[in-house]
Each structure stands twice: as C-alpha cells, then as structure tokens.
C-alpha cells in the first residue's frame, strides 16, 4: 500500500499559491455528484482542523525557529482550506450546504463504523451516526418549508432521509459525552485515523452551524440551527475524548499530516470529476512535504521515529463515500433508543439524563419537533426519502402510514 | 386523529413568495431535465421551460418587483439590477428558441446545450439574488396579508403557463415550435394589468 513516509512531495518553499491559483472554479450544484460535494466538505473539515491545531501548537512552542516553520505550514494549510472550501458555489444556500454537511457526516461516519477494528470505538461511531442521520431529516423539512425545494436535489437518493434517533433525545449532560480514549501504544493505526477524521468533520459542522444559523430570518430556522449546533458541540466532545490525551503535540502533528495524506489519497482514487481529482492529487503532494517536516519535529523533540506512531505498512484501505442504507437501517432498528451514561451506553432514561432533558427543554417542544409539526401543517405530510421501504421502527413512521398499517 | 393532535401551529396558506420559490425550484428541475434528456423528452422539457420562465419573470416584474421597489431600502438599486438580469436572460432565451426552432428541432445540438448551460447559470444566479436580496426582506416589510393577497395574481399568471407534470411518453413532440411559448409573457402581462386595473 502507498506509504506516505516514503515520499517527499512538493518542496515546502514551492507551496505558496497566488490569487489566480487560489481562485478556483466552483462545482455546479445541480449537476455535481453529491459525493463530490461530500468529499469537499470532509476535506474542508480536515484542513480547518490542521490549521487550528497548528495555531494552538504555536502558542505552546518556545523555539523561534520552529514557530516560523509551523507558521509557514499553517499558512499553506490555510491556502489549501481556501481552495477546497471555495469549490462550493455561491448560488447554494447555507441550508443546501447544511444538507451536504449532514450527508457527509452520515455516510462518512457509517463507513468508518463499518471499518473500525476496535469494538468500543465502533460503538461510538454507530451511536453518533444515528444522530446526524436524524439531523438530515429535520433540516430537509426545514429546507422545503423555507426554500420550497426538496432535499433530494442535494442528496439525490444516495442517502435516505427519515428519522434516526430523535433529535430531542440527543441533549445529554456533558459529563456523559466523555468517552474512554484509545491507547496510543497499542491501538490500530486505523483507529487513530478514524477518530481524527470524524472529530475534524464534526468540529466543522459545529463551527458552521453556530456561525451560519443567525443569518436566517425565519425564527424556526434560527432555532433549529441553535439546537443542532449544541448537539454538534456534544458530538465534538464525544469524538475528541476518544483520542489518547497522552499523545504529544509532535505526535499529533504527525498523525494530522498522515491523516491528510490518507484522505487526499483515498478521495483521489474515488473522485469522478477530473478537475477536482487534480486538486486532491496536488494537495496530496503538498501534504507529503508537511508530513516530512512533522516527522523531523517528532525526531528532534520526542526522540521517536514516525513508524512508532503510524506503523510501517502504509495507508489502510481507502475511505469511500458510498450508500450505507442497509447498514443504517440495521442500526436504527437495534440502537435507536440508546443513550449514554458515564463512558458507556444504556437504554434507560437515567436520572442525570432526565434532569438535563427537563432543564434544556423547559417543558416545551424543542425546535426539531416544531419544524416537523409546522411542515406537516403546511404540506399535509413530512419530507422523507425512504427508498428501501417503510421506516424500520414502527413508531417512527409517518402518522398517516401508522394508521394505514 | 393522530395528525391533528400533533399540530401545534395553524396551517399556513402559501403566499406570493412561496409560489415564486416553488417556480424557482421547478425552473431548476426543468433546466436539469433539458440538459439530461434527448429527443422528444428534451423538446417537451424545453417547451415547458420556455413557457415557465417567460411567465415567471413577467409575473415577478408585474407583481413583486414594484412592491419591492417601494418597500425595500435601496429598492430602486436592487430592482434595477434584477431587471437588467431578467432582460439579459430573456435575450438569451429568445436566442435559444431561435436555435431550437431551426431545422425542426434539429437545432438542439451540442452548441444548444452549451448556450443553455450559460442561460441556466445566469437564471439560477439571478433567482438566488432575488431570494437573498428581495424576497427575504420583503417578507419582513410587506406584511403577511399583502403577500397572501398577491398569491392570487401569481396563481393567475401560472394558470396561463401550464407545464407537464411528468414527461409524456406517448405524444409525438417532434413538431413543437418554441416561439409561441415565449409569447406567454405577453399574455401574462396583459392579464395581470387587467387584474390591477380592476382592483384600483
Ligand atoms: Fe492540509
Ligand atoms: Fe454530528
Ligand atoms: Fe497538512
Ligand atoms: Fe425569479
């Protein structure tokens, strides 16, 4: 398999791009493969995480020479982020981008869950994916109400749109969001890469919702973004606590760069649009040089070799965007009523969960339920895409369907 | 009555802006349909598109832009730009109709698709600008009642430009001439001015 440690990539000093090179042609929102949009969204999250992590590290680093090196790579990563995110077209509304974000979260997390070797980590992804799956359904109903369009325009029929674990139940005491972390010395390298990837994606979702939400004028839109952005806050805690806190800054840098190589390499394999594929390839070549510098820092400050962190086998099986319908239906059927207690998962509505629910909902229907009520009132139905038959959980079928059935 | 008990809000009748947004969605769908089909299906989709676009832009010009001009801050500047865009789009559309009417529908070749792609981008961009700079702000300044009243005018306009709910699989569409579909604009304008005179 491709081993990023064995390649030097484009020399760092040749990685700064000018305005013309930064000014990329956006994708066509109507004709694009929805999974191309997902790859853009996922890689944007990865670059944002890379930039922000390096900004943090610079604040904790007291060698001027190294601060300069970090500042330089961070600038280059920032240009990568601008290129990737600027592939999104201005004629898309924030809500359409939001549908893309949730589709990304659903199908990326589902792929990771299916491929995660560690059962505890796998459970974390299986738990989380059912929540973003439900967000997609809530936003799709909002989209039809506010913009009079159908989410199928954005997600096509690749991802189903129907209830997952109901969003109301996602609000838990933050204590219960904290997971056990993997062990940096014994865990499979795939687990480290999966955790970083999903963490980066969820963090970007949180940042996006909490910043874009107030731009809407419709009260229900503002409220729904506020609600779901707070769940994404919890998702970030959920995933970031999977990472081993004993990993050093230099080790994390190596993992970040290695993971960027992994994702650009993966998406390059799968990309259907040749123009976009060329960008993934270029960025992979840039990341290889970032990785080299991170490895030097690891040797110098930690006295360790990168192979001790990421092994010698090269990249794992490529990450793919693909439909996960059967898998998701299976998870819905078996895990929809789970909540969290301590570092684990339970079915009962325990005391801390109940108290938190009472506190946050204040005895009223939260925005995620009102958006469905209002949609039903206006259209006489909900917005769903159920391509594989009726909803697997009877209580989560549309009311009319329940009556008929 | 499961549904009844779950309703917490009163059913909301669509207002003029809702209807115009639905037309935007339909326009987007038809552009995609024309680009992705061939033969009869393509001709039918294009005829629907010409009719819908002509009707839609005229309805906006007659019904919603005049109010926006009066009610919005910088209304003149916002609406003048929209009208410029609509004029450009109409010019492109007329050019496309000419192209398509040439040679009994055989004018719908690759150069037609390229030109259609340009029109599509212009129209989609224009529609989003309306949504962001005009419709959203109008909801807050024009008042619900007024917008609901205007829905009647938008419906009247739409009635003059029926589109096919689904592409027909049987009717031979080879003889479609697209010029008449453009003329929908005039009929819509006349009808809407009639309505306005009656209401004065
Ligand atoms: Fe990067
Ligand atoms: Fe999430
Ligand atoms: Fe990097
Ligand atoms: Fe319009």
């Amino acid at each position: 398999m491709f081993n990023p440690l064995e390649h030097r990539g484009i020399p760092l000093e040749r990685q700064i791009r000018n305005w013309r090179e930064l000014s990329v042609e956006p994708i066509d929102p109507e004709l694009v493969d929805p999974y191309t949009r997902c790859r853009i969204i996922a890689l944007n999250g990865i670059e944002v995480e890379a930039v922000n992590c390096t900004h943090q590290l610079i604040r904790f680093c007291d060698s001027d020479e190294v601060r300069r090196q970090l500042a330089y790579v961070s600038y280059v990563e920032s240009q990568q982020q601008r290129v990737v995110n600027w592939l999104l077209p201005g004629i898309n509304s924030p809500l359409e981008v939001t549908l893309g974000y949730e589709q990304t979260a659903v199908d990326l997390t589902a792929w990771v869950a299916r491929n995660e070797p560690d059962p505890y980590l796998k459970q974390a992804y299986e738990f989380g994916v059912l929540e973003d799956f439900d967000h997609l359904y809530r936003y799709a109903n909002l989209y039809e109400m506010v913009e009079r369009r159908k989410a199928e325009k954005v997600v096509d029929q690749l991802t189903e749109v129907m209830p997952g674990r109901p969003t109301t139940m996602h609000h838990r005491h933050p204590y219960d969001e904290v997971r056990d972390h993997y062990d940096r010395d014994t865990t499979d390298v795939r687990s480290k890469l999966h955790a970083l990837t999903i963490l980066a994606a969820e963090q970007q979702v949180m940042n996006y919702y909490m910043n874009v939400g107030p731009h809407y004028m419709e009260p229900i839109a503002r409220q729904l973004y506020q609600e779901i952005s707070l769940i994404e806050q919890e998702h970030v805690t959920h995933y970031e606590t999977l990472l081993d806190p004993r990993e050093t800054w230099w080790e994390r840098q190596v993992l970040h760069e290695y993971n960027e190589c992994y994702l650009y390499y993966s998406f390059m394999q799968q990309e259907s649009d040749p123009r976009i594929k060329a960008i993934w390839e270029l960025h992979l070549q840039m990341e290889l040089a970032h990785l080299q510098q991170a490895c030097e820092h690891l040797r110098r400050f930690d006295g360790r070799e990168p192979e001790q962190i990421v092994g010698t086998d090269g990249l794992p099986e490529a990450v793919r965007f693909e439909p996960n319908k059967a898998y998701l239906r299976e998870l819905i059927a078996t895990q929809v009523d789970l909540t969290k207690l301590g570092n684990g998962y339970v079915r009962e509505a325990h005391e801390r969960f109940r108290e938190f629910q009472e506190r946050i909902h204040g005895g009223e229907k939260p925005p995620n339920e009102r958006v469905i009520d209002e949609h039903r009132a206006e259209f006489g139905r909900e917005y769903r895409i159920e391509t594989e038959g009726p909803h697997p959980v009877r209580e989560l079928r549309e009311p009319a369907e329940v009556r008929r059935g | 009555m499961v549904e009844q008990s779950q309703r917490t809000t009163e059913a909301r009748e669509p207002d003029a802006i809702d209807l115009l947004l639905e037309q935007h969605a339909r326009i987007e769908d038809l552009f995609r349909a024309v680009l992705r089909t061939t033969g009869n299906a393509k001709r039918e989709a294009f005829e629907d598109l010409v009719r819908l676009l002509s009707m839609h832009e005229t309805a906006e010009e007659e019904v919603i832009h005049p109010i926006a001009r009066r009610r919005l801050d910088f209304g003149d500047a916002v609406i003048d730009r929209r009208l410029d865009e609509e004029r450009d789009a109409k010019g492109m559309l007329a050019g496309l109709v000419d192209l398509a009417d040439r040679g009994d529908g055989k004018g719908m070749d690759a150069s037609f698709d390229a030109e259609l792609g340009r029109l599509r981008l212009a129209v989609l961009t224009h529609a989003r600008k309306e949504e962001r700079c005009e419709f959203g702000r109008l909801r807050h300044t024009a008042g619900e009642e007024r917008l609901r009243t205007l829905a009647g005018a938008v419906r009247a306009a739409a009635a003059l430009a029926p589109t096919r709910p689904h592409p027909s699989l049987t009717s031979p569409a080879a003889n479609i001439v697209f010029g008449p579909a453009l003329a929908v604009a005039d009929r819509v304008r006349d009808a809407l001015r009639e309505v306005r005179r009656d209401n004065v």
Side-chain angles (χ1 to χ4, degrees):
Chain A
M1 205 41 179
F2 181 77
N3 190 346
L5 295 174
E6 291 164 4
H7 299 263
R8 310 216 68 85
I10 297 171
L12 282 176
E13 62 276 13
R14 285 184 17 220
Q15 293 200 1
I16 303 291
R17 284 179 267 190
N18 63 28
W19 299 124
R20 198 175 41 74
E21 292 163 314
L22 290 172
S23 153
V24 283
E25 180 78 20
I27 54 168
D28 185 318
E30 299 269 307
L31 306 179
V32 73
D33 172 357
Y35 283 147
T36 294
R37 186 192 292 103
C38 289
R39 286 185 283 271
I40 292 168
I41 289 169
L43 287 168
N44 176 56
I46 295 292
E47 291 295 357
V48 168
E49 163 68 13
V51 170
N52 288 340
C53 187
T54 309
H55 276 311
Q56 287 299 325
L57 171 52
I58 289 179
R59 298 169 207 179
F60 290 93
C61 168
D62 70 355
S63 152
D64 274 346
E65 181 210 350
V66 177
R67 281 154 79 98
R68 281 193 287 269
Q69 290 173 333
L70 293 173
Y72 184 86
V73 167
S74 178
Y75 187 87
V76 171
E77 303 269 20
S78 234
Q79 285 202 336
Q80 290 180 309
Q81 186 276 336
R82 301 305 185 275
V83 165
V84 172
N85 206 25
W86 262 243
L87 288 171
L88 296 182
I91 55 175
N92 264 168
S93 68
L95 204 36
E96 286 166 329
V97 177
T98 296
L99 295 170
Y101 269 58
E102 294 296 355
Q103 183 175 36
T104 304
V106 167
D107 282 323
L108 187 61
T109 311
W111 187 92
V112 162
R114 286 195 285 119
N115 289 277
E116 173 56 51
D118 177 308
Y120 180 78
L121 298 170
K122 187 186 181 75
Q123 176 64 73
Y125 302 121
E126 290 185 340
F127 183 87
V129 73
L130 290 188
E131 308 206 333
D132 289 310
F133 187 79
D134 196 73
H135 300 165
L136 176 60
Y137 157 70
R138 312 279 161 181
Y139 279 126
N141 279 268
L142 179 67
Y143 179 54
E144 189 171 30
M145 267 195 334
V146 172
E147 300 194 21
R148 316 301 281 196
R149 291 171 172 91
K150 300 199 186 311
E152 188 176 341
K153 245 179 148 60
V154 178
V155 303
D156 208 344
Q157 297 212 346
L158 298 169
T159 310
E160 292 191 279
V161 176
M162 58 186 187
R165 178 176 306 118
T167 292
T168 303
M169 313 306 273
H170 303 179
H171 302 281
R172 290 168 290 260
H173 195 290
Y175 285 180
D176 292 317
E177 297 299 336
V178 178
R179 307 290 84 199
D180 287 345
H181 62 79
Y182 62 67
D183 182 336
R184 67 171 192 174
D185 297 317
T186 57
T187 196
D188 191 305
V189 65
R190 282 176 291 174
S191 299
K192 298 179 182 179
L193 301 178
H194 290 164
L196 263 186
T197 301
I198 301 301
L199 167 58
E202 294 290 325
Q203 177 175 261
Q204 176 56 27
V205 174
M206 174 190 76
N207 285 330
Y208 187 72
Y209 295 172
M210 73 193 201
N211 284 297
V212 89
H215 292 288
Y216 273 92
M217 287 185 274
E218 293 78 4
I220 186 68
R222 299 172 65 84
Q223 292 160 8
L224 186 66
Y225 271 105
Q226 202 176 53
E227 181 184 8
I228 296 186
S229 72
L230 279 169
I231 295 161
E232 302 303 345
Q233 152 72 22
E234 305 234 39
H235 285 180
V236 175
T237 307
H238 174 86
Y239 293 118
E240 73 192 349
T241 51
L242 298 175
L243 272 49
D244 191 334
R246 298 167 304 173
E247 286 169 348
T248 68
W249 279 102
W250 310 110
E251 183 172 357
R252 274 284 163 75
Q253 289 289 101
V254 168
L255 279 168
H256 270 99
E257 300 297 359
Y258 195 81
N259 194 42
E260 285 183 278
C261 293
Y262 177 39
L263 291 172
Y264 280 121
Y265 182 83
S266 294
F267 293 161
M268 207 176 92
Q269 313 292 313
Q270 202 193 358
E271 187 55 66
S272 50
D273 181 331
R275 186 176 67 87
I276 307 293
K277 182 182 172 133
I279 296 175
W280 304 156
E281 180 153 27
L282 171 67
H283 283 199
L284 170 63
Q285 292 301 322
M286 297 169 82
E287 299 298 350
L288 292 167
H290 305 173
L291 177 61
Q292 292 292 329
Q293 179 174 286
C295 291
E296 274 164 42
H297 291 153
L298 180 77
R299 291 189 190 96
R300 177 167 157 195
F301 297 107
D302 281 2
R304 286 191 291 167
E305 288 300 319
E307 285 80 2
Q308 293 172 261
I309 316 292
V310 296
T312 52
D313 297 340
L315 297 178
E317 185 195 333
V319 180
R320 296 181 59 80
F321 272 100
E322 58 197 9
N324 293 281
K325 295 177 181 178
Y327 181 66
L328 288 164
R329 278 175 173 263
E330 172 68 27
L331 290 182
I332 291 169
T334 52
Q335 302 197 22
V336 83
D337 52 351
L338 286 187
T339 187
K340 293 191 271 185
L341 175 60
N343 56 6
Y345 303 86
V346 296
R347 284 214 149 70
E348 108 251 21
H350 54 86
E351 194 181 339
R352 190 154 65 197
F353 179 68
R354 279 203 316 273
E355 278 172 8
F356 196 83
Q357 285 271 312
E358 275 165 32
R359 182 84 194 102
I360 187 113
H361 297 315
E364 287 176 23
K365 272 195 175 189
N368 84 78
E369 292 182 29
R370 280 186 280 119
V371 77
I372 302 298
D373 287 347
E374 288 184 25
H375 190 286
R376 280 183 194 153
E378 199 169 337
F379 294 84
R381 56 165 174 81
E382 298 176 13
Y383 182 81
R384 296 181 177 216
I385 305 177
E386 293 173 333
T387 61
E388 313 298 295
H391 196 286
V393 178
R394 207 177 161 73
E395 298 75 53
L396 295 177
R397 293 182 190 165
E398 264 196 84
E401 225 178 302
V402 171
R403 274 208 313 264
R404 249 182 283 127
Chain B
M1 297 305 283
V2 182
E3 276 164 307
Q4 289 301 324
S5 65
Q6 287 178 340
R7 286 183 189 179
T8 55
T9 39
E10 282 302 296
R12 201 174 67 81
E13 273 289 298
D15 63 20
I17 287 175
D18 291 323
L19 298 175
L20 293 172
L21 287 175
E22 280 164 16
Q23 291 175 7
H24 284 179
R26 181 87 182 112
I27 288 167
E28 290 165 10
D29 291 345
L30 282 170
F31 267 116
R32 234 181 345 202
V34 181
L35 283 174
R36 283 181 173 169
T37 51
T38 53
N40 275 1
K42 191 182 186 80
R43 278 192 285 276
E44 290 187 351
F46 184 60
E47 191 191 30
D48 279 359
L49 176 66
V50 175
R51 213 185 285 127
L52 177 58
L53 256 183
S54 303
M55 179 276 288
H56 172 77
E57 299 301 353
T58 309
E60 286 178 336
E61 280 162 25
E62 297 293 320
V63 177
I64 211 85
H65 292 340
I67 298 175
R69 196 183 276 286
R70 274 180 277 126
R71 296 290 182 93
L72 298 186
D73 293 340
F74 306 104
D76 279 328
V78 171
I79 297 308
D80 285 345
R81 282 199 211 143
R82 295 299 83 77
L83 292 176
D84 284 348
E85 291 158 7
E86 283 170 14
R87 194 174 348 89
D88 290 350
K90 278 181 187 162
M92 287 165 90
L93 184 64
L96 270 166
V97 164
D98 271 354
L99 206 59
D101 276 346
R102 227 173 281 161
D104 203 16
K106 293 192 181 61
M108 299 176 88
D109 54 5
S111 71
F112 172 88
D113 275 3
E115 186 59 25
L116 185 82
R118 272 189 289 279
L119 173 66
R120 176 177 150 271
L121 197 64
V123 168
L124 264 51
T125 307
H126 163 72
R128 289 301 183 166
K129 285 183 180 167
E130 284 176 337
E131 292 179 25
R132 278 180 214 174
C133 307
E134 185 178 353
F135 295 178
R137 290 160 64 198
L138 207 52
R139 271 241 166 91
H140 282 249
T141 52
E144 280 178 37
E145 260 326 295
R146 183 104 185 88
L147 289 173
R148 229 182 298 288
T149 313
L150 291 173
V154 177
R155 281 210 182 85
L160 293 170
T163 57
R164 299 167 176 85
H166 300 289
S168 65
L169 299 169
T170 48
S171 77
N175 298 326
I176 293 179
V177 184
F178 300 102
L182 273 179
V184 163
D186 300 326
R187 289 209 297 282
V188 168
R189 183 167 290 112
D190 292 346
L192 291 175
R193 291 190 176 169
E194 193 87 4
V195 170
R196 215 160 22 180
R197 249 196 319 275
D198 293 349
N199 288 346
V200 169

